[in-house]
């Protein structure tokens, strides 16, 4: 192990952390916004409402993220129509391609988590709301979604960590995230073990931070549960 | 003891899966190439590595009377892989640079290359430093071209580094890049292909003293044997025959 | 008709490599998972902390990095260990072995949690009943715990295998000739990224469907006694 290499290039690695965190936050946000309607559609009984989201979720959960990134980045750019569309200024940027692929991917996983949470809400609560004269949208807003969010929190935290790990693939489309930075440094120093291990430790710390944040949020959202256990 | 037994079983399986074969360094050589650098090395539709580098490697092995296996490895894993003995030599059009000489030894050069820009036909693309300002330029990571950009034009142009040269061409064609910097000879091959319609060299070739050698581990006697074999194929015309299959001019 | 320019056979060969890789990693991962769960549930503090460190590290580090670290690092570590025992020859780790090790380690870390949950879900009374019948610890584990553990762990393991299947795409970076690498080579040769990456996506989807059908069948089999009983 050559520790001087680590010391020398650590600041460079930290530069990559910024990009990694940004990728996770932005695509996490977009992914969640997409997941809400998708999850609700999957929860509904009407087959016509369920079918399309099902196909979407099936595709994104059934194929590797790496394939999805390449399809968005290299695949789309192959078509004249895409290159001449109004979206091209975004699609030509690797940053936005990564955001698109990550958002679509995490939306599919989060939607399934949301569906599971919605399914787990006791029927009685929904019936009570119906008796009170609440309509469907209001029931979702007031009863089902808040309950579901609290239930899905631990699973959602795991999903964010999985996305943090998935974000390493951004390096394959020229982005200089933590992994991309590590690979570029290794291209100079030829010390893969030292640099990859350092990057690994940084990822580990980032996931510890995510776990920690979710624990705090969970305590706030589900205070009644912690009281019950105590 | 449930745990101990389970753990012991796990170790057995893990060790078996690692398949630690204790290879003896004899007359069996493993030679690595990249497989994404046509016409020097590329993988054909049957999955076999082919190209100038592969032919040279095979010719050298024949002279050395060594049994060689050609393996492919992504570019940025070549030198690290050589160092941890994943293979014994790299015949992958690798330039002999000072940075690399700190890590590995090189044989005598087996051809000479240079760098050259490529961009869309008719596009305004002047290769002077001032004119390049703000342009998006692509190159392969961990190559002479990529490092030329990093060393000389960092902050001037927007540098995009790719895992392989094919990806550079894809993005050049997609219009994500204003231009690309690569070795002159592989670009020469690409420009002949259908996909390269509408692209051309920009500016003259530079850094033309780019000597390409075969990388071996530091202090490995394989270097002398390869140098001797290289002299032999140069002398008996084997080299010229291979050269002529790929280029109508001598690249030595 | 789609023009594959001769790369169809290559993709098929890649599919076989992917399947082999996934099955070999599954085997290693299952063993590691059972060992990990046993360690986490054991009274031995050292075993518990080793297992905890293992699952925390693997679950916090991107799979791409795990693959790269194992590929470049494992040889060095193994050779250092071997030289301690007076063996100084070169030890080779093929890309396949490195891939299986990395993916098996990843699967094992997640499977540890699945097995632990399954073992804990088995009522303690059964263990006591076994002890009352004079069964030894190993016998209790093999004849009482194991058969029930499988049933409870199957859904979780099925999901993990789907994740593993997709993670195999990452080993293409260390030169294994799997679906992804074959697709990359085809793209490099033909400059048709959309076609070949989409094709790769559909191969992975088919493998996912086959896995889902198999897991469903296994679950049915594992639950057959249960359905009759209730």
């Amino acid at each position: 192990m050559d520790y001087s290499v680590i010391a020398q290039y650590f600041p460079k690695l930290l530069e990559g952390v910024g990009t990694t965190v940004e990728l996770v936050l932005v695509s996490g946000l977009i992914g969640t916004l997409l997941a809400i309607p998708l999850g609700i559609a999957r929860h509904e009984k009407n087959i016509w409402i369920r079918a399309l989201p099902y196909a979407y979720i099936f595709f994104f959960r059934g194929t590797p993220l790496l394939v999805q990134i390449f399809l968005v980045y290299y695949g789309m750019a192959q078509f004249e129509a895409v290159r001449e569309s109004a979206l091209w200024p975004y699609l030509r940027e690797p940053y936005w391609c990564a955001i698109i692929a990550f958002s679509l991917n995490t939306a599919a996983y989060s939607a399934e988590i949301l569906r599971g949470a919605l399914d787990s809400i006791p029927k009685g609560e929904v019936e009570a709301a119906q008796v009170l004269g609440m309509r469907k949208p209001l029931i979702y807003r007031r009863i089902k979604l808040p309950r579901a969010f609290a239930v899905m929190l631990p699973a959602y935290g795991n999903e964010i960590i999985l996305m943090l790990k998935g974000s390493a693939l951004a390096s394959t489309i020229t982005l200089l995230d933590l992994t991309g930075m590590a690979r570029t440094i290794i291209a100079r120093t030829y010390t893969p073990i030292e640099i990859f291990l350092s990057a690994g430790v940084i990822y580990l710390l980032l996931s510890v931070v995510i776990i920690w944040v979710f624990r705090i949020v969970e305590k706030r959202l589900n205070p009644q549960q912690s009281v019950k256990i105590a | 003891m449930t745990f101990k037994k389970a753990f012991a079983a796990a170790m057995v399986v893990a060790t078996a899966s690692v398949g630690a074969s204790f290879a003896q360094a004899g007359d069996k050589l493993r030679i690595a190439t990249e497989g994404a650098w046509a016409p020097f090395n590329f993988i054909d539709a049957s999955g076999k590595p082919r190209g100038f580098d592969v032919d040279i490697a095979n010719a050298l092995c024949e002279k050395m009377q060594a049994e060689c296996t050609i393996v492919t490895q992504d570019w940025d894993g070549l030198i690290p892989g050589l160092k941890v003995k994943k293979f014994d030599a790299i015949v992958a059009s690798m330039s002999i640079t000072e940075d690399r000489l700190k890590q590995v030894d090189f044989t005598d050069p087996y051809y000479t290359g240079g760098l050259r820009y490529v961009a869309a036909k008719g596009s305004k693309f002047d290769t002077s430093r001032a004119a390049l300002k703000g342009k998006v330029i692509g190159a392969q990571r961990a190559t002479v071209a990529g490092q030329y950009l990093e060393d000389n034009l960092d902050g001037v142009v927007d540098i995009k580094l790719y895992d392989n040269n094919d990806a550079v061409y894809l993005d050049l064609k997609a219009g994500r890049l204003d231009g690309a910097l690569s070795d002159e000879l592989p670009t020469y091959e690409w420009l002949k292909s259908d996909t390269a319609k509408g692209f051309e060299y920009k500016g003259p070739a530079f850094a033309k003293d780019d000597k390409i050698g075969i990388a071996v581990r530091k202090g490995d006697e394989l270097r002398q044997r390869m140098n001797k074999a290289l002299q032999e194929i140069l002398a008996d015309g084997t080299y010229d025959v291979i050269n002529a299959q790929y280029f109508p001019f001598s690249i030595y | 008709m789609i023009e594959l320019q001769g790369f169809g056979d290559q993709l098929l060969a890649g599919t076989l490599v992917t399947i082999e890789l996934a099955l070999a990693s599954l085997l290693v991962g299952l063993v590691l998972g059972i060992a990990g769960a046993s360690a986490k549930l054991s009274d031995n503090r050292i075993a518990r902390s080793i297992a905890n460190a293992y699952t925390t590290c693997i679950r916090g580090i991107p799979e791409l990095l795990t693959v790269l670290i194992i590929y470049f690092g494992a040889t060095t570590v193994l050779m250092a260990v071997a030289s301690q025992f007076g063996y100084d020859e070169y030890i080779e780790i093929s890309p396949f072995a490195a891939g299986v090790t990395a993916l098996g380690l990843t699967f094992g870390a997640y499977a540890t949690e699945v097995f632990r949950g399954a073992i804990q879900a088995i009522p303690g009374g059964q263990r006591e009943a076994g002890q009352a019948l004079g069964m030894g610890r190993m016998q209790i584990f093999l004849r009482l715990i194991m058969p029930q553990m499988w049933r409870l762990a199957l859904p979780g393991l099925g999901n993990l295998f789907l994740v593993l299947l997709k993670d195999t795409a990452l080993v293409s970076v260390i030169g294994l000739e799997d679906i992804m690498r074959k697709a990359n080579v085809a793209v490099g040769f033909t400059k048709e990224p959309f076609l070949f990456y989409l094709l790769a996506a559909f191969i992975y989807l088919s493998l996912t469907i086959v896995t889902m059908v198999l897991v469903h069948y296994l679950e049915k089999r594992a639950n057959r006694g249960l359905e009759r009983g209730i």
Side-chain angles (χ1 to χ4, degrees):
Chain A
M1 284 285 268
D2 181 358
Y3 293 102
S4 63
V5 174
I6 299 178
Q8 189 188 345
Y9 285 97
F10 204 73
K12 277 228 117 173
L13 277 180
L14 288 183
E15 273 175 45
V17 174
T19 311
T20 293
V21 170
E22 212 180 302
L23 282 173
V24 173
L25 286 182
V26 176
S27 32
L29 194 73
I30 300 175
T32 309
L33 292 179
L34 285 173
I36 293 172
L38 282 169
I40 291 176
R42 285 277 287 134
H43 171 67
E44 283 294 320
K45 289 192 182 65
N46 188 328
I47 185 144
W48 296 109
I49 297 180
R50 265 167 34 191
L52 205 64
Y54 180 78
Y56 166 84
I57 291 169
F58 189 72
F59 181 84
F60 278 93
R61 297 210 317 163
T63 54
L65 181 56
L66 189 58
V67 176
Q68 293 162 18
I69 291 177
F70 282 175
L71 267 177
V72 171
Y73 188 74
Y74 292 116
M76 302 275 272
Q78 202 183 329
F79 298 103
E80 198 80 30
V82 175
R83 290 203 300 262
E84 274 158 18
S85 75
L87 285 173
W88 183 240
Y90 294 100
L91 283 173
R92 85 189 291 259
E93 294 297 329
Y95 179 80
W96 288 107
C97 287
I99 294 275
I100 291 170
F102 293 160
S103 304
L104 292 176
N105 182 275
T106 186
Y109 283 91
S110 308
E112 274 306 281
I113 295 172
L114 177 60
R115 180 190 70 113
L118 284 171
D119 288 350
S120 77
I121 299 171
K123 266 212 180 84
E125 290 183 24
V126 180
E127 281 165 1
Q130 282 168 338
V131 169
L132 286 173
M134 282 174 141
R135 297 256 181 94
K136 224 174 187 176
L138 194 64
I139 294 179
Y140 266 114
R141 221 169 54 218
R142 289 268 180 83
I143 316 275
K144 282 184 161 183
L145 284 177
R147 285 277 277 150
F149 286 149
V151 171
M152 71 186 269
L153 216 62
Y156 186 66
N158 279 336
E159 169 54 25
I160 297 290
I161 291 177
L162 288 181
M163 208 174 53
L164 167 71
K165 303 206 292 176
S167 73
L169 299 179
S171 64
T172 57
I173 53 168
T174 77
L175 275 175
L176 291 177
D177 70 322
L178 182 46
T179 305
M181 207 50 113
R183 294 174 74 179
T184 305
I185 294 169
I186 293 162
R188 292 248 158 192
T189 62
Y190 304 105
T191 49
I193 300 168
E194 287 85 347
I195 300 294
F196 280 143
L197 273 181
S198 312
V201 170
I202 299 177
Y203 276 110
L204 206 58
L205 290 177
L206 287 176
S207 56
V208 168
V209 170
I210 294 174
I211 292 172
W212 181 70
V213 167
F214 269 87
R215 267 202 200 134
I216 293 177
V217 177
E218 212 175 314
K219 268 204 183 133
R220 288 227 162 160
L221 267 184
N222 300 342
Q224 69 280 19
Q225 273 182 8
S226 31
V227 171
K228 249 186 247 162
I229 293 162
Chain B
M1 283 307 288
T2 318
F3 165 69
K4 267 193 188 159
K5 275 212 176 167
F7 186 72
M11 283 308 285
V12 169
V13 173
T15 329
S17 79
V18 164
S21 72
F22 299 88
Q24 197 85 38
D27 264 308
K28 283 191 176 158
L29 291 177
R30 284 159 61 86
I31 294 183
T33 194
E34 184 198 9
W37 194 250
F40 290 98
N41 59 74
F42 57 96
I43 295 167
D44 69 8
S46 67
K48 284 202 183 65
R50 270 177 42 199
F52 179 84
D53 288 338
V54 178
D55 291 350
I56 290 288
N58 283 329
L60 293 179
C61 288
E62 211 181 296
K63 292 284 180 228
M64 295 188 294
Q65 292 183 330
E67 203 180 303
C68 290
T69 332
I70 309 264
V71 297
T72 53
Q73 160 78 53
D74 276 359
W75 178 257
D76 57 0
L78 281 171
I79 287 185
L82 178 71
K83 285 177 71 183
V84 296
K85 301 190 184 175
K86 298 271 170 213
F87 25 79
D88 306 298
I90 302 170
V91 187
S93 292
M94 191 174 270
S95 308
I96 304 170
T97 65
E98 262 175 58
D99 274 349
R100 288 183 185 137
L101 278 169
K102 286 180 201 150
Q103 309 292 331
V104 295
D105 280 350
F106 278 97
T107 61
D108 298 335
Y110 66 99
Y111 78 88
T112 310
L115 298 177
R116 204 162 178 187
Y117 286 102
V118 61
K121 257 181 205 156
S123 69
K124 279 186 79 173
F125 191 95
D126 193 67
T127 55
S128 72
R129 191 182 161 88
L132 284 172
K133 198 168 170 54
K135 291 244 193 285
V136 186
I137 311 284
Q140 186 176 351
R141 175 183 280 128
T143 59
V144 169
Q147 272 164 19
Y148 175 87
L149 291 178
E150 284 184 317
D151 291 343
N152 299 292
L153 294 166
D154 191 24
V156 178
V157 301
D158 185 358
I159 306 166
K160 295 260 181 272
L161 295 177
Y162 293 81
D163 292 348
N164 58 60
N165 219 37
D166 288 328
V168 179
Y169 297 142
L170 279 179
D171 258 7
L172 197 59
K173 216 170 147 48
R176 283 200 181 96
L177 300 173
D178 296 320
L181 182 63
S182 181
D183 286 38
E184 188 185 11
L185 293 170
T187 310
Y188 170 86
E189 175 79 5
W190 180 63
L191 286 174
K192 286 194 299 188
S193 73
D194 277 350
T195 56
K197 267 190 202 126
F199 292 91
E200 63 184 3
Y201 282 131
K202 295 285 182 183
F206 56 100
K208 280 169 78 168
D209 51 346
D210 185 19
K211 301 289 180 204
I212 310 291
I214 296 167
V216 294
R217 273 183 297 280
K218 274 209 167 298
D220 195 333
E221 50 81 40
L222 184 60
R223 193 172 84 92
Q224 285 83 14
R225 283 172 66 202
M226 285 206 153
N227 276 338
K228 192 170 154 273
L230 184 62
Q231 287 310 318
E232 285 170 29
I233 63 165
L234 279 166
D236 72 4
T238 314
Y239 183 96
D240 293 334
V241 173
I242 296 171
N243 187 146
Q245 281 171 22
Y246 297 94
F247 299 99
F249 44 85
S250 171
I251 63 170
Y252 181 69
Chain C
M1 194 52 207
I2 315 167
E3 179 51 61
L4 295 183
Q5 306 184 32
F7 281 96
D9 292 349
Q10 284 297 303
L11 280 173
L12 208 64
T15 307
L16 285 180
V17 172
T18 294
I19 293 172
E20 277 171 33
L21 191 68
L23 290 179
S25 313
L26 173 70
L27 204 71
V28 174
L30 282 177
V31 174
L32 284 173
I34 292 176
S38 312
K40 279 203 173 186
L41 292 172
S42 84
D43 305 325
N44 188 327
R45 218 167 71 203
I46 299 168
R48 278 206 309 269
S49 29
I50 291 176
N52 278 328
Y54 162 53
T55 54
T56 311
C57 282
I58 294 289
R59 294 198 300 171
I61 296 177
E63 286 75 13
L64 180 64
L65 275 186
T66 313
V67 170
L68 290 169
I69 291 172
I70 298 277
Y71 184 61
F72 290 118
T75 315
T76 318
V77 173
L78 263 186
M79 282 170 67
V81 172
S83 70
Q84 290 293 310
F85 293 99
Y87 187 86
D88 283 323
E89 287 299 321
Y90 169 61
I91 302 173
E92 184 197 314
I93 297 179
S94 67
F96 189 84
V100 168
T101 309
L103 294 174
L105 278 172
T106 306
F107 185 93
Y110 287 94
T112 295
E113 299 303 327
V114 171
F115 281 127
R116 186 174 70 146
I119 294 173
Q120 278 178 327
I122 298 167
Q126 300 198 7
R127 197 182 302 259
E128 286 161 26
Q131 279 165 348
L133 286 172
M135 289 164 99
R137 281 185 74 161
M138 200 64 206
Q139 221 177 351
I140 290 179
F141 183 77
L142 286 177
R143 308 197 51 180
L144 268 178
I145 310 289
M146 274 273 261
Q148 302 192 71
M149 178 185 83
W150 282 120
R151 180 174 67 80
L152 294 166
L154 251 174
L157 293 179
N159 281 335
L160 289 183
F161 186 71
L162 290 179
V163 174
L164 169 67
L165 206 55
K166 288 174 283 167
D167 279 348
T168 56
L170 300 178
V171 302
S172 59
V173 298
I174 55 171
L176 255 175
E177 306 279 320
D178 73 320
I179 300 172
M180 198 63 205
R181 189 168 175 87
K182 296 287 188 190
N184 280 334
V185 168
V187 168
F189 201 86
T190 63
K191 306 285 185 285
E192 292 270 2
F194 189 78
L195 172 66
F196 283 100
Y197 290 135
L198 196 66
L199 213 60
F202 279 112
I203 298 176
Y204 283 108
L205 270 186
S206 324
L207 293 178
T208 299
I209 293 172
V210 171
T211 308
M212 283 168 67
V213 171
L214 275 177
V215 170
H216 181 75
Y217 170 77
L218 284 175
E219 272 178 41
K220 253 187 145 171
R221 245 185 83 94
N223 285 333
R224 67 198 187 283
L226 202 72
E227 279 156 24
R228 261 207 310 268
I230 299 166

